[in-house]
Amino acid sequence: MNLKMPDLSTTGSPIKVIRWLIEVGDFVERGQAVVEVETDKATMEVEALGSGTLLKQLVPVGSEASAGDVLAVIGDSRPASSTVVSDNGRGAADFNYHRDFLLTLYERMVLIRQFEDRVKALFLEGIMPGTIHQCQGQEAAAVGICAALRPEDFITSTFRGHGHALAKGLTLQEMLDELFGAVTGCCRGKGGSMHIGNPGKGMMPGIAIVAGGIPLATGMALAFKLRKTKEIVACFFGDGAVAEGAFHEALNMAALWGLPVLFVCENNLYGASTRIDQVMKNTRVSDRAASYGFRGETVDGNDVLAVYEAARQAADECRSGKGPVLLELQTYRLTGHSRRDPGYYQPKEERAVWSASDPITRFAQALLVGGDADLDDLDRIQKKIDDEIESAVEKAKTAPKPTIDDLLTDVYAS
Protein backbone atom coordinates (compact mmCIF):
# COMPACT_ATOMS: atom_id res chain seq x y z
CA MET A 1 0.00 0.00 0.00
CA ASN A 2 1.44 3.35 -1.05
CA LEU A 3 1.13 6.49 1.06
CA LYS A 4 0.69 9.33 -1.43
CA MET A 5 1.00 13.07 -0.99
CA PRO A 6 -2.49 14.58 -0.88
CA ASP A 7 -3.34 17.77 -2.76
CA LEU A 8 -2.72 20.17 0.12
CA SER A 9 -1.25 23.17 -1.67
CA THR A 10 -3.56 25.96 -2.82
CA THR A 11 -1.08 27.11 -5.48
CA GLY A 12 0.09 23.77 -6.83
CA SER A 13 3.61 24.35 -5.53
CA PRO A 14 5.68 21.43 -4.17
CA ILE A 15 5.18 20.38 -0.55
CA LYS A 16 8.17 19.90 1.77
CA VAL A 17 8.59 16.95 4.13
CA ILE A 18 9.35 18.36 7.61
CA ARG A 19 9.68 15.17 9.66
CA TRP A 20 8.69 11.55 9.74
CA LEU A 21 6.44 10.65 12.68
CA ILE A 22 6.77 6.85 12.18
CA GLU A 23 10.05 4.98 11.82
CA VAL A 24 10.65 2.24 9.23
CA GLY A 25 9.67 -1.10 10.76
CA ASP A 26 7.06 0.41 13.10
CA PHE A 27 3.40 -0.52 12.91
CA VAL A 28 0.99 2.22 11.85
CA GLU A 29 -2.76 2.30 12.46
CA ARG A 30 -5.30 3.40 9.86
CA GLY A 31 -5.81 7.16 10.36
CA GLN A 32 -2.51 7.60 12.24
CA ALA A 33 -0.30 10.53 11.24
CA VAL A 34 2.80 9.24 9.43
CA VAL A 35 4.62 12.33 8.16
CA GLU A 36 4.51 16.07 8.77
CA VAL A 37 4.66 18.31 5.69
CA GLU A 38 4.77 22.04 5.00
CA THR A 39 2.52 23.58 2.36
CA ASP A 40 2.44 27.14 1.07
CA LYS A 41 -0.05 27.94 3.84
CA ALA A 42 0.53 25.73 6.86
CA THR A 43 2.16 22.66 8.41
CA MET A 44 -0.03 19.55 8.15
CA GLU A 45 0.08 15.81 8.81
CA VAL A 46 -0.50 13.03 6.28
CA GLU A 47 -2.36 10.03 7.69
CA ALA A 48 -2.23 6.35 6.74
CA LEU A 49 -5.25 4.99 4.88
CA GLY A 50 -4.75 1.51 6.27
CA SER A 51 -2.94 -0.38 8.98
CA GLY A 52 0.39 -2.11 8.44
CA THR A 53 4.16 -1.91 8.88
CA LEU A 54 6.03 1.09 7.46
CA LEU A 55 8.43 -0.54 4.99
CA LYS A 56 10.03 2.43 3.20
CA GLN A 57 10.33 6.21 3.49
CA LEU A 58 10.75 7.41 -0.09
CA VAL A 59 11.07 11.18 0.47
CA PRO A 60 13.81 12.36 2.85
CA VAL A 61 13.29 15.15 5.37
CA GLY A 62 13.80 18.51 3.70
CA SER A 63 12.90 17.23 0.24
CA GLU A 64 9.86 18.30 -1.74
CA ALA A 65 7.07 16.26 -3.32
CA SER A 66 4.05 17.05 -5.45
CA ALA A 67 0.46 15.93 -5.03
CA GLY A 68 0.15 12.27 -5.97
CA ASP A 69 3.80 11.41 -5.34
CA VAL A 70 4.40 8.28 -3.26
CA LEU A 71 5.85 9.22 0.12
CA ALA A 72 6.12 5.79 1.74
CA VAL A 73 5.25 2.12 1.39
CA ILE A 74 3.16 0.45 4.08
CA GLY A 75 2.97 -3.35 4.20
CA ASP A 76 -0.18 -5.29 5.03
CA SER A 77 1.43 -7.36 7.76
CA ARG A 78 0.52 -6.82 11.40
CA PRO A 79 2.89 -7.76 14.20
CA ALA A 80 1.44 -10.27 16.65
CA SER A 81 2.14 -7.97 19.58
CA SER A 82 0.23 -5.00 18.19
CA THR A 83 -3.26 -4.07 19.33
CA VAL A 84 -5.76 -2.86 16.77
CA VAL A 85 -9.39 -1.82 17.18
CA SER A 86 -10.75 -4.56 14.93
CA ASP A 87 -10.26 -7.99 16.48
CA ASN A 88 -9.35 -9.72 13.22
CA GLY A 89 -6.85 -7.13 12.00
CA ARG A 90 -8.92 -6.44 8.90
CA GLY A 91 -8.09 -3.08 7.33
CA ALA A 92 -10.26 -1.34 4.80
CA ALA A 93 -7.23 -0.80 2.56
CA ASP A 94 -7.16 -4.56 1.95
CA PHE A 95 -10.28 -4.23 -0.22
CA ASN A 96 -11.02 -2.54 -3.52
CA TYR A 97 -14.16 -0.43 -3.73
CA HIS A 98 -15.92 1.20 -6.65
CA ARG A 99 -15.83 4.99 -6.56
CA ASP A 100 -19.63 5.22 -6.72
CA PHE A 101 -19.95 3.01 -3.66
CA LEU A 102 -17.49 5.14 -1.69
CA LEU A 103 -19.25 8.37 -2.64
CA THR A 104 -22.59 6.84 -1.67
CA LEU A 105 -21.24 6.07 1.80
CA TYR A 106 -19.93 9.61 2.12
CA GLU A 107 -23.18 11.16 0.89
CA ARG A 108 -25.26 9.09 3.30
CA MET A 109 -23.10 10.11 6.28
CA VAL A 110 -23.27 13.77 5.29
CA LEU A 111 -27.04 13.43 4.86
CA ILE A 112 -27.38 12.16 8.43
CA ARG A 113 -25.12 14.90 9.87
CA GLN A 114 -26.83 17.74 8.04
CA PHE A 115 -30.28 16.34 8.79
CA GLU A 116 -29.46 16.21 12.50
CA ASP A 117 -27.99 19.72 12.49
CA ARG A 118 -31.05 21.15 10.71
CA VAL A 119 -33.46 19.36 13.03
CA LYS A 120 -31.57 20.67 16.06
CA ALA A 121 -31.91 24.20 14.72
CA LEU A 122 -35.65 23.72 14.15
CA PHE A 123 -36.07 22.61 17.76
CA LEU A 124 -33.98 25.47 19.11
CA GLU A 125 -36.09 27.88 17.07
CA GLY A 126 -39.24 26.39 18.59
CA ILE A 127 -40.60 25.40 15.18
CA MET A 128 -40.59 21.62 15.64
CA PRO A 129 -42.59 19.92 18.44
CA GLY A 130 -41.54 17.10 20.76
CA THR A 131 -37.99 16.16 21.68
CA ILE A 132 -34.95 14.67 19.99
CA HIS A 133 -32.00 12.38 20.72
CA GLN A 134 -29.37 12.88 18.05
CA CYS A 135 -26.41 10.96 16.64
CA GLN A 136 -23.87 13.50 15.36
CA GLY A 137 -20.52 11.71 15.40
CA GLN A 138 -21.98 8.21 15.05
CA GLU A 139 -22.82 8.31 11.32
CA ALA A 140 -20.30 5.66 10.25
CA ALA A 141 -21.96 3.06 12.46
CA ALA A 142 -25.41 3.35 10.87
CA VAL A 143 -24.13 3.74 7.31
CA GLY A 144 -21.54 0.96 7.49
CA ILE A 145 -23.99 -1.57 8.95
CA CYS A 146 -26.88 -0.80 6.61
CA ALA A 147 -24.60 -0.81 3.54
CA ALA A 148 -23.88 -4.47 4.28
CA LEU A 149 -27.56 -5.43 4.46
CA ARG A 150 -29.90 -6.52 1.67
CA PRO A 151 -33.13 -4.62 0.96
CA GLU A 152 -35.20 -7.46 2.47
CA ASP A 153 -33.23 -7.42 5.74
CA PHE A 154 -34.58 -5.61 8.79
CA ILE A 155 -33.17 -3.39 11.50
CA THR A 156 -34.43 -2.49 14.95
CA SER A 157 -33.53 0.83 16.49
CA THR A 158 -33.61 3.01 19.59
CA PHE A 159 -34.74 6.49 20.59
CA ARG A 160 -31.60 7.73 18.77
CA GLY A 161 -32.72 6.40 15.41
CA HIS A 162 -32.62 9.19 12.82
CA GLY A 163 -29.30 7.97 11.41
CA HIS A 164 -30.45 4.35 11.31
CA ALA A 165 -33.55 5.38 9.38
CA LEU A 166 -31.72 7.44 6.76
CA ALA A 167 -29.10 4.71 6.37
CA LYS A 168 -31.82 2.09 5.80
CA GLY A 169 -33.46 4.14 3.07
CA LEU A 170 -36.23 6.19 4.66
CA THR A 171 -36.69 9.49 2.84
CA LEU A 172 -36.09 12.96 4.19
CA GLN A 173 -39.69 13.87 3.53
CA GLU A 174 -41.35 11.01 5.42
CA MET A 175 -39.03 11.60 8.37
CA LEU A 176 -39.47 15.35 8.56
CA ASP A 177 -43.22 14.96 8.14
CA GLU A 178 -43.15 12.55 11.08
CA LEU A 179 -41.14 14.95 13.23
CA PHE A 180 -43.66 17.69 12.47
CA GLY A 181 -46.50 15.32 13.44
CA ALA A 182 -48.04 15.08 9.98
CA VAL A 183 -50.20 12.20 8.73
CA THR A 184 -47.82 11.89 5.78
CA GLY A 185 -45.01 10.91 8.14
CA CYS A 186 -43.52 7.43 8.17
CA CYS A 187 -45.64 6.58 11.25
CA ARG A 188 -48.57 8.87 10.32
CA GLY A 189 -47.42 11.46 12.81
CA LYS A 190 -47.97 9.16 15.78
CA GLY A 191 -44.40 8.06 16.42
CA GLY A 192 -42.32 11.20 16.38
CA SER A 193 -38.56 11.29 16.77
CA MET A 194 -38.19 8.40 19.21
CA HIS A 195 -40.28 5.96 17.18
CA ILE A 196 -39.03 6.55 13.64
CA GLY A 197 -39.42 3.59 11.29
CA ASN A 198 -41.03 2.10 8.23
CA PRO A 199 -41.52 -1.71 8.12
CA GLY A 200 -42.03 -1.48 4.36
CA LYS A 201 -38.41 -0.36 4.07
CA GLY A 202 -37.01 -2.83 6.56
CA MET A 203 -37.03 -0.74 9.73
CA MET A 204 -39.28 -1.46 12.65
CA PRO A 205 -40.29 1.76 14.46
CA GLY A 206 -37.79 2.64 17.15
CA ILE A 207 -38.40 1.59 20.75
CA ALA A 208 -37.62 4.22 23.36
CA ILE A 209 -37.23 1.71 26.20
CA VAL A 210 -33.54 0.97 26.74
CA ALA A 211 -32.80 -2.52 25.30
CA GLY A 212 -36.42 -2.81 24.16
CA GLY A 213 -35.49 -3.65 20.57
CA ILE A 214 -33.16 -6.53 21.45
CA PRO A 215 -35.81 -9.20 22.25
CA LEU A 216 -37.86 -7.92 19.30
CA ALA A 217 -34.93 -8.51 16.95
CA THR A 218 -34.40 -11.98 18.40
CA GLY A 219 -38.05 -12.85 17.81
CA MET A 220 -37.88 -11.58 14.24
CA ALA A 221 -34.77 -13.66 13.62
CA LEU A 222 -36.58 -16.72 14.97
CA ALA A 223 -39.39 -16.08 12.49
CA PHE A 224 -36.89 -15.84 9.63
CA LYS A 225 -35.32 -19.15 10.66
CA LEU A 226 -38.66 -20.94 10.96
CA ARG A 227 -39.70 -19.65 7.54
CA LYS A 228 -36.34 -20.79 6.13
CA THR A 229 -35.65 -17.44 4.45
CA LYS A 230 -32.27 -15.75 4.03
CA GLU A 231 -33.32 -12.56 5.79
CA ILE A 232 -31.40 -11.31 8.79
CA VAL A 233 -32.05 -8.57 11.34
CA ALA A 234 -29.50 -6.04 12.60
CA CYS A 235 -30.29 -4.82 16.09
CA PHE A 236 -28.91 -1.42 17.12
CA PHE A 237 -28.52 -0.52 20.79
CA GLY A 238 -26.23 1.54 23.00
CA ASP A 239 -23.73 0.55 25.65
CA GLY A 240 -26.28 1.41 28.35
CA ALA A 241 -28.52 -1.44 27.15
CA VAL A 242 -25.87 -4.01 28.06
CA ALA A 243 -26.81 -3.62 31.74
CA GLU A 244 -30.46 -4.58 31.06
CA GLY A 245 -31.74 -8.11 31.58
CA ALA A 246 -33.36 -8.11 28.16
CA PHE A 247 -29.91 -7.93 26.56
CA HIS A 248 -28.69 -11.09 28.28
CA GLU A 249 -31.93 -13.03 27.86
CA ALA A 250 -32.17 -12.23 24.14
CA LEU A 251 -28.51 -13.02 23.42
CA ASN A 252 -28.80 -16.32 25.25
CA MET A 253 -31.90 -17.34 23.26
CA ALA A 254 -30.34 -16.25 19.97
CA ALA A 255 -27.26 -18.33 20.74
CA LEU A 256 -29.24 -21.42 21.77
CA TRP A 257 -31.29 -21.37 18.57
CA GLY A 258 -28.53 -20.16 16.21
CA LEU A 259 -30.59 -17.20 15.01
CA PRO A 260 -29.71 -14.88 12.09
CA VAL A 261 -29.41 -11.72 14.15
CA LEU A 262 -26.56 -9.21 14.14
CA PHE A 263 -26.38 -7.44 17.49
CA VAL A 264 -24.85 -3.99 17.01
CA CYS A 265 -23.72 -2.09 20.09
CA GLU A 266 -22.96 1.56 19.35
CA ASN A 267 -20.60 2.12 22.26
CA ASN A 268 -20.38 5.90 22.60
CA LEU A 269 -19.04 5.59 26.17
CA TYR A 270 -22.13 7.09 27.83
CA GLY A 271 -25.50 5.78 28.92
CA ALA A 272 -27.19 9.19 29.05
CA SER A 273 -24.67 11.01 31.30
CA THR A 274 -23.07 7.96 32.97
CA ARG A 275 -19.71 6.84 31.62
CA ILE A 276 -19.35 3.15 30.81
CA ASP A 277 -16.43 2.55 33.20
CA GLN A 278 -18.64 3.61 36.10
CA VAL A 279 -21.10 0.78 35.55
CA MET A 280 -19.03 -2.16 34.27
CA LYS A 281 -15.62 -3.56 35.14
CA ASN A 282 -15.03 -5.03 31.69
CA THR A 283 -15.84 -2.21 29.29
CA ARG A 284 -15.21 -4.32 26.18
CA VAL A 285 -18.81 -5.08 25.24
CA SER A 286 -17.92 -7.64 22.57
CA ASP A 287 -16.51 -9.94 25.26
CA ARG A 288 -20.09 -10.67 26.37
CA ALA A 289 -20.65 -12.79 23.27
CA ALA A 290 -18.17 -15.45 24.40
CA SER A 291 -20.18 -16.14 27.55
CA TYR A 292 -23.08 -17.22 25.34
CA GLY A 293 -20.96 -19.18 22.90
CA PHE A 294 -20.86 -17.02 19.79
CA ARG A 295 -18.49 -14.57 18.11
CA GLY A 296 -18.01 -10.97 19.18
CA GLU A 297 -15.82 -8.30 17.61
CA THR A 298 -14.82 -4.75 18.49
CA VAL A 299 -14.52 -2.37 15.56
CA ASP A 300 -13.51 1.27 15.02
CA GLY A 301 -17.03 2.66 14.75
CA ASN A 302 -15.79 5.91 13.23
CA ASP A 303 -14.29 4.12 10.22
CA VAL A 304 -17.18 3.49 7.85
CA LEU A 305 -15.27 0.96 5.74
CA ALA A 306 -14.11 -0.99 8.78
CA VAL A 307 -17.73 -1.11 9.97
CA TYR A 308 -18.93 -2.17 6.53
CA GLU A 309 -16.43 -5.03 6.25
CA ALA A 310 -17.16 -6.27 9.77
CA ALA A 311 -20.90 -6.10 9.09
CA ARG A 312 -20.56 -7.82 5.73
CA GLN A 313 -18.72 -10.76 7.28
CA ALA A 314 -21.17 -10.94 10.19
CA ALA A 315 -24.17 -10.79 7.85
CA ASP A 316 -22.75 -13.64 5.77
CA GLU A 317 -22.28 -15.71 8.91
CA CYS A 318 -25.84 -15.06 10.05
CA ARG A 319 -27.23 -15.86 6.59
CA SER A 320 -25.33 -19.15 6.45
CA GLY A 321 -26.58 -20.39 9.82
CA LYS A 322 -23.50 -19.36 11.83
CA GLY A 323 -25.18 -16.55 13.78
CA PRO A 324 -25.68 -14.69 15.92
CA VAL A 325 -22.79 -12.19 15.97
CA LEU A 326 -22.15 -9.26 18.32
CA LEU A 327 -20.38 -6.22 16.89
CA GLU A 328 -19.23 -3.47 19.24
CA LEU A 329 -18.71 -0.22 17.35
CA GLN A 330 -16.54 2.19 19.32
CA THR A 331 -17.78 5.70 18.56
CA TYR A 332 -18.69 8.96 20.26
CA ARG A 333 -21.69 11.24 20.51
CA LEU A 334 -20.67 14.82 19.61
CA THR A 335 -23.89 16.23 21.01
CA GLY A 336 -25.91 15.95 24.20
CA HIS A 337 -28.01 12.96 25.19
CA SER A 338 -31.11 14.95 24.25
CA ARG A 339 -31.81 18.48 23.07
CA ARG A 340 -31.71 19.91 26.59
CA ASP A 341 -28.37 18.27 27.46
CA PRO A 342 -25.26 20.47 27.06
CA GLY A 343 -22.98 17.46 27.65
CA TYR A 344 -20.90 19.06 30.41
CA TYR A 345 -20.11 15.60 31.79
CA GLN A 346 -17.95 14.87 28.73
CA PRO A 347 -14.39 16.09 29.51
CA LYS A 348 -13.08 18.69 27.08
CA GLU A 349 -9.96 16.65 26.40
CA GLU A 350 -12.04 13.57 25.59
CA ARG A 351 -14.30 15.52 23.24
CA ALA A 352 -11.26 16.97 21.49
CA VAL A 353 -9.77 13.52 20.87
CA TRP A 354 -12.99 12.14 19.44
CA SER A 355 -13.73 15.28 17.43
CA ALA A 356 -10.37 14.75 15.74
CA SER A 357 -11.64 11.31 14.73
CA ASP A 358 -14.87 12.62 13.20
CA PRO A 359 -16.05 9.86 10.82
CA ILE A 360 -17.06 12.23 8.03
CA THR A 361 -13.84 14.24 8.12
CA ARG A 362 -11.76 11.06 8.20
CA PHE A 363 -13.59 9.54 5.25
CA ALA A 364 -13.46 12.78 3.26
CA GLN A 365 -9.70 12.85 3.69
CA ALA A 366 -9.47 9.21 2.60
CA LEU A 367 -11.47 9.99 -0.55
CA LEU A 368 -9.26 12.96 -1.37
CA VAL A 369 -5.98 11.18 -0.74
CA GLY A 370 -7.12 8.08 -2.60
CA GLY A 371 -8.16 10.11 -5.63
CA ASP A 372 -11.78 8.98 -5.45
CA ALA A 373 -13.05 12.54 -5.05
CA ASP A 374 -11.86 16.12 -5.10
CA LEU A 375 -13.05 19.10 -3.09
CA ASP A 376 -15.54 20.07 -5.79
CA ASP A 377 -17.14 16.61 -5.60
CA LEU A 378 -17.55 16.88 -1.84
CA ASP A 379 -18.87 20.43 -2.05
CA ARG A 380 -21.45 19.38 -4.63
CA ILE A 381 -22.66 16.58 -2.38
CA GLN A 382 -23.05 18.92 0.59
CA LYS A 383 -24.84 21.57 -1.48
CA LYS A 384 -27.20 18.97 -2.97
CA ILE A 385 -28.08 17.67 0.48
CA ASP A 386 -28.60 21.18 1.87
CA ASP A 387 -31.06 21.95 -0.92
CA GLU A 388 -32.91 18.67 -0.44
CA ILE A 389 -33.26 19.21 3.31
CA GLU A 390 -34.52 22.78 2.95
CA SER A 391 -37.09 21.71 0.37
CA ALA A 392 -38.29 18.88 2.61
CA VAL A 393 -38.48 21.18 5.65
CA GLU A 394 -40.70 23.67 3.85
CA LYS A 395 -43.07 20.91 2.71
CA ALA A 396 -43.15 19.35 6.17
CA LYS A 397 -44.15 22.64 7.79
CA THR A 398 -47.43 22.63 5.87
CA ALA A 399 -48.04 18.86 5.74
CA PRO A 400 -51.53 17.81 6.93
CA LYS A 401 -51.94 17.09 10.64
CA PRO A 402 -54.04 14.28 12.17
CA THR A 403 -57.69 14.94 12.92
CA ILE A 404 -59.78 13.99 15.96
CA ASP A 405 -60.93 10.88 14.08
CA ASP A 406 -57.32 9.70 13.83
CA LEU A 407 -57.35 9.11 17.58
CA LEU A 408 -59.34 5.92 16.88
CA THR A 409 -57.17 4.62 14.05
CA ASP A 410 -54.25 2.18 14.52
CA VAL A 411 -55.68 1.20 17.91
CA TYR A 412 -55.82 -2.51 18.67
CA ALA A 413 -57.81 -4.24 21.39
CA SER A 414 -58.45 -7.90 22.12
Side-chain angles (χ1 to χ4, degrees):
M1 176 178 59
N2 293 332
L3 177 69
K4 296 182 179 180
M5 177 71 79
D7 188 4
L8 301 173
S9 173
T10 58
T11 63
S13 58
I15 303 169
K16 181 184 293 186
V17 172
I18 301 300
R19 65 184 177 119
W20 285 93
L21 305 175
I22 302 294
E23 298 296 328
V24 171
D26 289 348
F27 185 75
V28 58
E29 299 279 6
R30 175 182 173 86
Q32 184 176 356
V34 177
V35 60
E36 188 175 74
V37 299
E38 184 179 65
T39 72
D40 51 352
K41 293 291 184 181
T43 299
M44 306 179 71
E45 295 176 343
V46 180
E47 298 179 350
L49 296 181
S51 300
T53 301
L54 184 62
L55 302 179
K56 294 180 181 179
Q57 297 173 348
L58 300 181
V59 181
V61 171
S63 298
E64 294 182 339
S66 300
D69 289 350
V70 177
L71 300 175
V73 178
I74 298 175
D76 293 332
S77 59
R78 175 171 66 93
S81 60
S82 69
T83 301
V84 296
V85 174
S86 180
D87 292 342
N88 59 16
R90 174 181 47 235
D94 297 331
F95 301 88
N96 293 318
Y97 304 98
H98 194 280
R99 177 177 183 271
D100 290 346
F101 173 70
L102 296 175
L103 291 180
T104 297
L105 295 180
Y106 178 77
E107 181 171 343
R108 194 55 57 94
M109 286 198 293
V110 173
L111 174 65
I112 294 171
R113 176 69 60 87
Q114 294 183 194
F115 176 88
E116 292 286 61
D117 288 346
R118 187 67 181 97
V119 165
K120 185 174 184 177
L122 290 168
F123 271 100
L124 293 176
E125 294 167 8
I127 297 173
M128 185 174 280
T131 189
I132 48 174
H133 299 77
Q134 298 193 291
C135 66
Q136 287 97 324
Q138 301 181 192
E139 295 86 359
V143 172
I145 292 291
C146 289
L149 300 178
R150 297 176 182 175
E152 65 269 22
D153 293 331
F154 275 79
I155 67 171
T156 62
S157 185
T158 69
F159 51 76
R160 201 180 309 282
H162 297 171
H164 305 151
L166 290 169
K168 194 62 174 73
L170 273 70
T171 66
L172 283 171
Q173 198 63 63
E174 66 181 313
M175 289 184 61
L176 284 166
D177 285 2
E178 184 65 29
L179 295 181
F180 274 103
V183 295
T184 48
C186 55
C187 294
R188 302 178 188 173
K190 296 182 177 181
S193 172
M194 292 196 290
H195 305 287
I196 286 287
N198 185 335
K201 295 183 178 179
M203 179 181 181
M204 301 305 294
I207 298 177
I209 298 171
V210 175
I214 304 177
L216 173 64
T218 301
M220 293 170 65
L222 176 59
F224 297 156
K225 183 171 184 177
L226 292 174
R227 294 192 315 203
K228 294 182 172 57
T229 68
K230 289 297 183 181
E231 297 160 283
I232 68 169
V233 55
C235 172
F236 288 98
F237 55 92
D239 49 280
V242 177
E244 295 288 338
F247 168 84
H248 299 279
E249 294 167 359
L251 265 66
N252 187 50
M253 293 177 71
L256 283 171
W257 296 334
L259 300 182
V261 54
L262 171 53
F263 296 109
V264 182
C265 177
E266 296 175 293
N267 182 359
N268 63 20
L269 301 183
Y270 290 89
S273 59
T274 303
R275 206 174 191 280
I276 187 172
D277 54 12
Q278 295 181 1
V279 295
M280 55 182 80
K281 184 71 172 178
N282 179 5
T283 58
R284 192 177 177 88
V285 173
S286 64
D287 285 352
R288 273 71 174 170
S291 64
Y292 297 111
F294 62 89
R295 188 175 74 83
E297 180 182 351
T298 298
V299 181
D300 181 352
N302 280 11
D303 182 337
V304 68
L305 291 177
V307 174
Y308 168 72
E309 288 300 336
R312 187 167 68 166
Q313 178 183 337
D316 288 345
E317 291 173 13
C318 289
R319 235 180 279 281
S320 61
K322 298 177 182 178
V325 177
L326 170 61
L327 293 184
E328 174 192 10
L329 309 183
Q330 294 182 328
T331 183
Y332 198 78
R333 167 169 45 82
L334 298 175
T335 187
H337 170 66
S338 62
R339 68 183 177 120
R340 293 186 177 90
D341 175 18
Y344 292 148
Y345 47 84
Q346 295 173 317
K348 291 182 179 179
E349 297 80 6
E350 179 183 270
R351 286 183 60 87
V353 169
W354 282 95
S355 294
S357 184
D358 184 297
I360 297 175
T361 303
R362 283 177 61 180
F363 195 52
Q365 183 182 23
L367 292 174
L368 294 172
V369 174
D372 294 296
D374 56 30
L375 290 175
D376 288 341
D377 293 326
L378 304 187
D379 287 343
R380 278 194 295 271
I381 288 173
Q382 295 190 10
K383 178 63 165 59
K384 169 176 169 285
I385 291 172
D386 275 337
D387 293 344
E388 290 174 350
I389 290 175
E390 290 310 311
S391 175
V393 166
E394 293 307 310
K395 292 178 182 177
K397 288 178 179 178
T398 59
K401 299 296 189 289
T403 65
I404 294 297
D405 292 339
D406 289 314
L407 286 172
L408 301 178
T409 60
D410 306 314
V411 176
Y412 298 89
S414 57

